[in-house]
Amino acid sequence: MVQFVHPARGDITLEGVLAALADPMRLRIVKVLLGQADCLSCTAAAPCPDMAKSTLSNHFRVLREAGLIRTTKKGVENRNTVREADINARFPGLLKAILKHAGE
Amino acid sequence: MVQFVHPARGDITLEGVLAALADPMRLRIVKVLLGQADCLSCTAAAPCPDMAKSTLSNHFRVLREAGLIRTTKKGVENRNTVREADINARFPGLLKAILKHAGE
DNA sequence: TTCAATAGTCCCATATTTCCGAACTATTGA
DNA sequence: TCAATAGTTCGGAAATATGGGACTATTGAA
């Protein structure tokens, strides 16, 4: 069974992380995911309900390719989590520093 | 004498800062400016010599509008500095956390 | 003064990126 | 088997970035 592809820890780049989090929608997605102990489906973590499915899907793809989230399929839906440990290992303090002020 | 306009400290937004620094060229500009005790002209802080003047000028405008740098005219050239104190006052630790890993 | 050189900005055409609707796939539950 | 649900993919439209060239402003030299 092939899962979605995520970059290895070392391949997470600062540029990629910043570009991914520079979009307010994606920043909100990550914030919501972090506030949740459990995984969340894409729609559950959607920043606004009227966003097109394709746009939402694209945002999650960007987050995955930047290495910010991990996605696995569970039945009909995706289970998304922030790759907090990997990101902190690669860029200590970065995620916390950014999200501390997100959504003010 | 009218100078360039910079947003007030409180108007510096996380979204604006991230969007500005998400571009690798602008990130390098800020890094170079921070490494310099003094101000730098736009061309002196240019990330690559073959970049078009108009593009470079645009990058500096984005950095200004995001509140990341302050620009004053001195004779024929601009003097640019990072608004480190203002940014740190608004988002403590953010700039340092980002730039710690820039250019690895 | 006048003139050339220098540093940036502005404008516009092109190139790239993003967004969304619609069609498609895959999984579940009835 | 069929309908419903969750995401993905594709293609065109809208938004954004890039760079060339003309323009402005300042300086320093003749």
Side-chain angles (χ1 to χ4, degrees):
Chain A
M1 179 205 191
V2 176
Q3 291 283 19
F4 295 112
V5 176
H6 309 272
R9 283 124 221 91
D11 294 342
I12 302 177
T13 67
L14 179 63
E15 194 177 317
V17 170
L18 291 180
L21 295 182
D23 182 284
M25 295 301 164
R26 290 193 289 264
L27 186 62
R28 287 170 64 184
I29 290 172
V30 171
K31 186 182 169 74
V32 167
L33 285 177
L34 277 175
Q36 210 74 12
D38 208 1
C39 299
L40 279 185
S41 71
C42 292
T43 38
C48 39
D50 56 338
M51 171 178 290
K53 281 197 307 176
S54 51
T55 305
L56 187 60
S57 178
N58 184 58
H59 282 318
F60 274 92
R61 185 179 56 76
V62 172
L63 288 172
R64 269 195 301 273
E65 291 180 356
L68 284 171
I69 65 172
R70 171 174 291 113
T71 305
T72 55
K73 277 225 152 188
K74 168 91 176 207
V76 76
E77 66 183 23
N78 288 356
R79 302 176 58 77
N80 300 287
T81 43
V82 178
R83 294 175 58 187
E84 210 172 348
D86 288 341
I87 303 163
N88 287 338
R90 181 74 182 84
F91 300 116
L94 180 64
L95 196 59
K96 192 177 172 191
I98 291 177
L99 282 154
K100 183 166 59 174
H101 304 286
E104 286 176 359
Chain B
M1 181 202 190
V2 176
Q3 290 282 17
F4 294 112
V5 176
H6 310 273
R9 282 125 223 90
D11 294 342
I12 301 175
T13 68
L14 180 63
E15 192 178 319
V17 170
L18 292 179
L21 294 182
D23 182 285
M25 294 303 163
R26 289 193 290 263
L27 187 62
R28 287 170 65 186
I29 290 172
V30 171
K31 187 182 170 70
V32 167
L33 284 178
L34 276 175
Q36 210 74 13
D38 208 1
C39 300
L40 278 185
S41 70
C42 293
T43 38
C48 39
D50 55 339
M51 171 178 290
K53 281 196 307 175
S54 51
T55 305
L56 186 60
S57 178
N58 183 58
H59 282 319
F60 274 92
R61 186 180 54 76
V62 172
L63 289 172
R64 268 195 302 273
E65 290 179 357
L68 284 171
I69 65 171
R70 170 175 291 114
T71 305
T72 55
K73 276 225 150 187
K74 167 90 175 208
V76 76
E77 67 184 23
N78 288 355
R79 301 174 60 77
N80 300 286
T81 41
V82 178
R83 294 176 58 188
E84 211 171 347
D86 289 338
I87 303 163
N88 288 337
R90 181 76 184 82
F91 301 116
L94 179 63
L95 197 58
K96 192 176 171 190
I98 291 177
L99 281 154
K100 183 166 59 175
H101 305 286
E104 285 175 0

